[in-house]
Short mmCIF file of all heavy atoms in Angstrom, two decimals:
data_model
loop_
_atom_site.label_atom_id
_atom_site.label_comp_id
_atom_site.label_asym_id
_atom_site.label_seq_id
_atom_site.Cartn_x
_atom_site.Cartn_y
_atom_site.Cartn_z
N THR R 3 213.77 145.27 0.41
CA THR R 3 214.55 145.47 1.64
C THR R 3 213.96 144.57 2.74
O THR R 3 212.78 144.73 3.06
CB THR R 3 214.53 146.91 2.09
OG1 THR R 3 215.08 147.78 1.01
CG2 THR R 3 215.37 147.13 3.34
N GLN R 4 214.80 143.73 3.30
CA GLN R 4 214.33 142.85 4.38
C GLN R 4 215.30 142.94 5.54
O GLN R 4 216.51 142.89 5.37
CB GLN R 4 214.33 141.37 3.91
CG GLN R 4 213.42 141.16 2.64
CD GLN R 4 213.38 139.70 2.24
OE1 GLN R 4 213.27 138.80 3.06
NE2 GLN R 4 213.45 139.46 0.92
N LEU R 5 214.74 143.21 6.75
CA LEU R 5 215.46 143.33 7.97
C LEU R 5 215.16 142.17 8.94
O LEU R 5 213.99 141.84 9.09
CB LEU R 5 215.19 144.65 8.68
CG LEU R 5 216.09 145.87 8.33
CD1 LEU R 5 215.82 146.29 6.87
CD2 LEU R 5 215.85 147.00 9.29
N HIS R 6 216.22 141.65 9.57
CA HIS R 6 216.07 140.57 10.53
C HIS R 6 216.72 141.06 11.80
O HIS R 6 217.93 141.17 11.90
CB HIS R 6 216.76 139.31 9.99
CG HIS R 6 216.32 138.02 10.65
ND1 HIS R 6 215.03 137.69 10.75
CD2 HIS R 6 217.05 137.05 11.18
CE1 HIS R 6 214.93 136.49 11.32
NE2 HIS R 6 216.17 136.08 11.61
N VAL R 7 215.87 141.36 12.82
CA VAL R 7 216.34 141.95 14.06
C VAL R 7 216.55 140.80 15.07
O VAL R 7 215.61 140.05 15.38
CB VAL R 7 215.36 142.98 14.62
CG1 VAL R 7 215.84 143.51 15.96
CG2 VAL R 7 215.17 144.11 13.63
N LEU R 8 217.76 140.68 15.59
CA LEU R 8 218.15 139.65 16.51
C LEU R 8 218.87 140.25 17.73
O LEU R 8 219.34 141.43 17.65
CB LEU R 8 219.07 138.60 15.88
CG LEU R 8 218.46 137.83 14.67
CD1 LEU R 8 219.60 137.11 13.97
CD2 LEU R 8 217.35 136.90 15.14
N PRO R 9 218.95 139.55 18.83
CA PRO R 9 219.71 140.07 20.00
C PRO R 9 221.18 140.31 19.63
O PRO R 9 221.84 141.12 20.27
CB PRO R 9 219.60 138.93 21.03
CG PRO R 9 218.32 138.23 20.69
CD PRO R 9 218.24 138.29 19.21
N THR R 10 221.69 139.63 18.63
CA THR R 10 223.08 139.85 18.20
C THR R 10 223.28 140.93 17.21
O THR R 10 224.40 141.25 16.82
CB THR R 10 223.61 138.55 17.59
OG1 THR R 10 222.73 138.16 16.48
CG2 THR R 10 223.64 137.42 18.61
N GLY R 11 222.22 141.60 16.81
CA GLY R 11 222.32 142.71 15.86
C GLY R 11 221.24 142.64 14.80
O GLY R 11 220.28 141.90 14.90
N VAL R 12 221.41 143.48 13.77
CA VAL R 12 220.42 143.57 12.67
C VAL R 12 221.09 143.11 11.36
O VAL R 12 222.17 143.56 11.01
CB VAL R 12 219.91 145.01 12.52
CG1 VAL R 12 218.95 145.18 11.38
CG2 VAL R 12 219.29 145.49 13.81
N GLU R 13 220.36 142.26 10.66
CA GLU R 13 220.81 141.80 9.35
C GLU R 13 219.89 142.48 8.30
O GLU R 13 218.66 142.34 8.41
CB GLU R 13 220.71 140.28 9.21
CG GLU R 13 221.60 139.60 10.20
CD GLU R 13 221.36 138.05 10.28
OE1 GLU R 13 220.35 137.64 9.73
OE2 GLU R 13 222.16 137.40 10.93
N THR R 14 220.48 143.20 7.36
CA THR R 14 219.71 143.93 6.36
C THR R 14 220.06 143.37 4.97
O THR R 14 221.14 143.48 4.47
CB THR R 14 220.02 145.41 6.38
OG1 THR R 14 219.79 145.92 7.70
CG2 THR R 14 219.18 146.20 5.39
N TYR R 15 219.04 142.75 4.37
CA TYR R 15 219.16 142.23 3.01
C TYR R 15 218.55 143.22 2.03
O TYR R 15 217.40 143.68 2.21
CB TYR R 15 218.40 140.89 2.94
CG TYR R 15 218.32 140.31 1.53
CD1 TYR R 15 219.38 139.60 0.98
CD2 TYR R 15 217.18 140.50 0.78
CE1 TYR R 15 219.26 139.03 -0.28
CE2 TYR R 15 217.04 139.94 -0.51
CZ TYR R 15 218.11 139.24 -1.04
OH TYR R 15 218.02 138.69 -2.32
N THR R 16 219.29 143.57 1.01
CA THR R 16 218.85 144.55 -0.03
C THR R 16 219.04 143.90 -1.36
O THR R 16 220.16 143.40 -1.68
CB THR R 16 219.61 145.86 0.06
OG1 THR R 16 219.47 146.38 1.39
CG2 THR R 16 219.09 146.84 -0.92
N ALA R 17 218.01 143.90 -2.19
CA ALA R 17 218.08 143.33 -3.55
C ALA R 17 217.28 144.19 -4.51
O ALA R 17 216.22 144.75 -4.11
CB ALA R 17 217.61 141.91 -3.58
N TYR R 18 217.79 144.32 -5.73
CA TYR R 18 217.00 145.00 -6.72
C TYR R 18 217.30 144.48 -8.11
O TYR R 18 218.36 143.88 -8.34
CB TYR R 18 217.31 146.57 -6.66
CG TYR R 18 218.72 146.93 -6.95
CD1 TYR R 18 219.17 147.15 -8.26
CD2 TYR R 18 219.65 147.06 -5.94
CE1 TYR R 18 220.50 147.51 -8.53
CE2 TYR R 18 221.01 147.45 -6.16
CZ TYR R 18 221.35 147.67 -7.45
OH TYR R 18 222.69 148.03 -7.71
N ARG R 19 216.38 144.71 -9.00
CA ARG R 19 216.53 144.37 -10.38
C ARG R 19 216.08 145.55 -11.22
O ARG R 19 214.92 146.02 -11.02
CB ARG R 19 215.76 143.12 -10.79
CG ARG R 19 215.99 142.65 -12.18
CD ARG R 19 215.42 141.27 -12.40
NE ARG R 19 215.44 140.81 -13.80
CZ ARG R 19 215.21 139.57 -14.20
NH1 ARG R 19 214.89 138.64 -13.32
NH2 ARG R 19 215.26 139.26 -15.49
N VAL R 20 216.92 146.10 -12.06
CA VAL R 20 216.61 147.33 -12.74
C VAL R 20 216.93 147.16 -14.24
O VAL R 20 217.95 146.61 -14.58
CB VAL R 20 217.35 148.52 -12.15
CG1 VAL R 20 218.85 148.30 -12.20
CG2 VAL R 20 216.96 149.85 -12.82
N ARG R 21 216.06 147.67 -15.11
CA ARG R 21 216.28 147.59 -16.50
C ARG R 21 216.85 148.95 -17.01
O ARG R 21 216.31 150.04 -16.67
CB ARG R 21 214.97 147.31 -17.27
CG ARG R 21 215.15 147.20 -18.81
CD ARG R 21 213.87 146.84 -19.52
NE ARG R 21 213.42 145.49 -19.12
CZ ARG R 21 212.23 145.26 -18.52
NH1 ARG R 21 211.43 146.25 -18.22
NH2 ARG R 21 211.91 144.03 -18.19
N ILE R 22 217.95 148.93 -17.71
CA ILE R 22 218.63 150.11 -18.22
C ILE R 22 217.96 150.50 -19.55
O ILE R 22 218.08 149.75 -20.54
CB ILE R 22 220.15 149.90 -18.40
CG1 ILE R 22 220.76 149.29 -17.12
CG2 ILE R 22 220.83 151.16 -18.84
CD1 ILE R 22 220.65 150.21 -15.92
N LEU R 23 217.33 151.68 -19.58
CA LEU R 23 216.58 152.09 -20.77
C LEU R 23 217.29 153.21 -21.54
O LEU R 23 217.02 153.34 -22.77
CB LEU R 23 215.20 152.58 -20.36
CG LEU R 23 214.33 151.57 -19.57
CD1 LEU R 23 213.05 152.22 -19.16
CD2 LEU R 23 214.04 150.34 -20.45
N LYS R 24 218.12 153.95 -20.93
CA LYS R 24 218.77 155.10 -21.57
C LYS R 24 220.26 155.11 -21.21
O LYS R 24 220.66 154.63 -20.13
CB LYS R 24 218.13 156.42 -21.19
CG LYS R 24 216.63 156.53 -21.53
CD LYS R 24 216.45 156.78 -23.03
CE LYS R 24 214.98 157.03 -23.30
NZ LYS R 24 214.71 157.25 -24.75
N PRO R 25 221.12 155.71 -22.06
CA PRO R 25 222.56 155.80 -21.70
C PRO R 25 222.82 156.41 -20.36
O PRO R 25 223.77 156.04 -19.67
CB PRO R 25 223.14 156.58 -22.88
CG PRO R 25 222.21 156.35 -24.01
CD PRO R 25 220.83 156.26 -23.43
N GLU R 26 222.02 157.42 -20.02
CA GLU R 26 222.29 158.09 -18.75
C GLU R 26 222.13 157.23 -17.51
O GLU R 26 222.59 157.53 -16.42
CB GLU R 26 221.44 159.36 -18.60
CG GLU R 26 219.95 159.15 -18.80
CD GLU R 26 219.47 159.45 -20.22
OE1 GLU R 26 220.23 159.11 -21.15
OE2 GLU R 26 218.38 159.99 -20.38
N ALA R 27 221.43 156.07 -17.68
CA ALA R 27 221.23 155.13 -16.55
C ALA R 27 222.36 154.12 -16.45
O ALA R 27 222.42 153.35 -15.53
CB ALA R 27 219.92 154.44 -16.71
N LEU R 28 223.32 154.15 -17.37
CA LEU R 28 224.44 153.19 -17.31
C LEU R 28 225.28 153.40 -16.06
O LEU R 28 226.04 152.49 -15.67
CB LEU R 28 225.29 153.28 -18.58
CG LEU R 28 224.66 152.70 -19.89
CD1 LEU R 28 225.52 153.06 -21.04
CD2 LEU R 28 224.50 151.20 -19.72
N GLN R 29 225.17 154.61 -15.46
CA GLN R 29 225.96 154.82 -14.25
C GLN R 29 225.52 153.92 -13.11
O GLN R 29 226.23 153.81 -12.09
CB GLN R 29 225.82 156.29 -13.85
CG GLN R 29 224.38 156.72 -13.52
CD GLN R 29 224.24 158.17 -13.18
OE1 GLN R 29 225.27 158.82 -12.93
NE2 GLN R 29 223.04 158.70 -13.21
N MET R 30 224.40 153.28 -13.22
CA MET R 30 223.95 152.30 -12.22
C MET R 30 224.86 151.12 -12.19
O MET R 30 224.80 150.30 -11.27
CB MET R 30 222.48 151.90 -12.46
CG MET R 30 221.52 153.05 -12.40
SD MET R 30 219.81 152.54 -12.65
CE MET R 30 219.21 152.55 -11.01
N GLY R 31 225.73 150.97 -13.19
CA GLY R 31 226.72 149.91 -13.20
C GLY R 31 227.86 150.17 -12.27
O GLY R 31 228.75 149.33 -12.11
N HIS R 32 227.87 151.37 -11.64
CA HIS R 32 228.87 151.66 -10.57
C HIS R 32 228.23 151.36 -9.24
O HIS R 32 227.41 152.10 -8.73
CB HIS R 32 229.30 153.13 -10.63
CG HIS R 32 230.22 153.51 -9.53
ND1 HIS R 32 231.44 152.90 -9.29
CD2 HIS R 32 230.10 154.49 -8.60
CE1 HIS R 32 232.02 153.43 -8.25
NE2 HIS R 32 231.22 154.41 -7.80
N ILE R 33 228.52 150.23 -8.71
CA ILE R 33 227.87 149.69 -7.47
C ILE R 33 228.78 149.91 -6.28
O ILE R 33 229.99 149.63 -6.29
CB ILE R 33 227.57 148.18 -7.60
CG1 ILE R 33 226.68 147.88 -8.83
CG2 ILE R 33 226.87 147.68 -6.33
CD1 ILE R 33 226.51 146.42 -9.13
N THR R 34 228.22 150.52 -5.24
CA THR R 34 228.98 150.72 -4.02
C THR R 34 228.23 150.17 -2.83
O THR R 34 227.01 150.13 -2.79
CB THR R 34 229.26 152.22 -3.74
OG1 THR R 34 227.98 152.92 -3.62
CG2 THR R 34 230.05 152.83 -4.89
N LEU R 35 228.96 149.74 -1.85
CA LEU R 35 228.42 149.19 -0.57
C LEU R 35 229.27 149.74 0.57
O LEU R 35 230.48 149.51 0.55
CB LEU R 35 228.45 147.66 -0.63
CG LEU R 35 227.76 146.90 0.50
CD1 LEU R 35 226.28 147.19 0.51
CD2 LEU R 35 228.01 145.38 0.30
N THR R 36 228.67 150.45 1.49
CA THR R 36 229.39 151.08 2.56
C THR R 36 228.95 150.51 3.91
O THR R 36 227.77 150.33 4.15
CB THR R 36 229.15 152.61 2.55
OG1 THR R 36 229.63 153.14 1.29
CG2 THR R 36 229.94 153.29 3.66
N TRP R 37 229.95 150.25 4.79
CA TRP R 37 229.61 149.71 6.11
C TRP R 37 230.71 150.11 7.14
O TRP R 37 231.82 150.51 6.76
CB TRP R 37 229.46 148.20 6.07
CG TRP R 37 230.74 147.43 5.97
CD1 TRP R 37 231.44 146.79 6.97
CD2 TRP R 37 231.49 147.19 4.76
NE1 TRP R 37 232.59 146.18 6.46
CE2 TRP R 37 232.62 146.41 5.12
CE3 TRP R 37 231.33 147.59 3.42
CZ2 TRP R 37 233.58 146.01 4.16
CZ3 TRP R 37 232.29 147.17 2.48
CH2 TRP R 37 233.38 146.43 2.86
N ASP R 38 230.36 150.01 8.40
CA ASP R 38 231.28 150.33 9.46
C ASP R 38 231.86 149.02 10.01
O ASP R 38 231.15 148.21 10.56
CB ASP R 38 230.52 151.04 10.59
CG ASP R 38 231.43 151.40 11.77
OD1 ASP R 38 232.62 151.03 11.73
OD2 ASP R 38 230.93 152.03 12.74
N PRO R 39 233.17 148.77 9.79
CA PRO R 39 233.73 147.49 10.19
C PRO R 39 233.79 147.32 11.69
O PRO R 39 233.97 146.19 12.15
CB PRO R 39 235.15 147.51 9.56
CG PRO R 39 235.47 148.99 9.46
CD PRO R 39 234.17 149.66 9.14
N SER R 40 233.65 148.40 12.46
CA SER R 40 233.65 148.23 13.93
C SER R 40 232.35 147.73 14.45
O SER R 40 232.26 147.31 15.59
CB SER R 40 234.00 149.57 14.58
OG SER R 40 232.95 150.50 14.47
N SER R 41 231.31 147.72 13.60
CA SER R 41 229.98 147.28 14.03
C SER R 41 229.37 146.23 13.18
O SER R 41 228.25 145.72 13.53
CB SER R 41 229.04 148.50 14.11
OG SER R 41 228.83 149.03 12.83
N GLY R 42 230.05 145.78 12.11
CA GLY R 42 229.42 144.73 11.28
C GLY R 42 230.24 144.41 10.07
O GLY R 42 231.40 144.77 9.90
#
């Protein structure tokens, strides 16, 4: 997680790498990203 704070706002970079070891972890293939369009 990397944050860049500027006078114009905050930029948040998120990255991950995960190894799937069991069938129950396959749900990690459902990726969601939520944001407020009025602010970014």
Side-chain angles (χ1 to χ4, degrees):
T3 302
Q4 303 183 43
L5 268 69
H6 200 52
V7 178
L8 298 169
T10 55
V12 178
E13 299 170 349
T14 303
Y15 172 83
T16 303
Y18 61 88
R19 183 167 175 171
V20 59
R21 181 177 295 120
I22 308 299
L23 301 176
K24 299 287 185 180
E26 52 264 38
L28 287 171
Q29 62 183 345
M30 300 181 103
H32 175 58
I33 303 172
T34 62
L35 186 62
T36 300
W37 75 100
D38 180 357
S40 71
S41 62

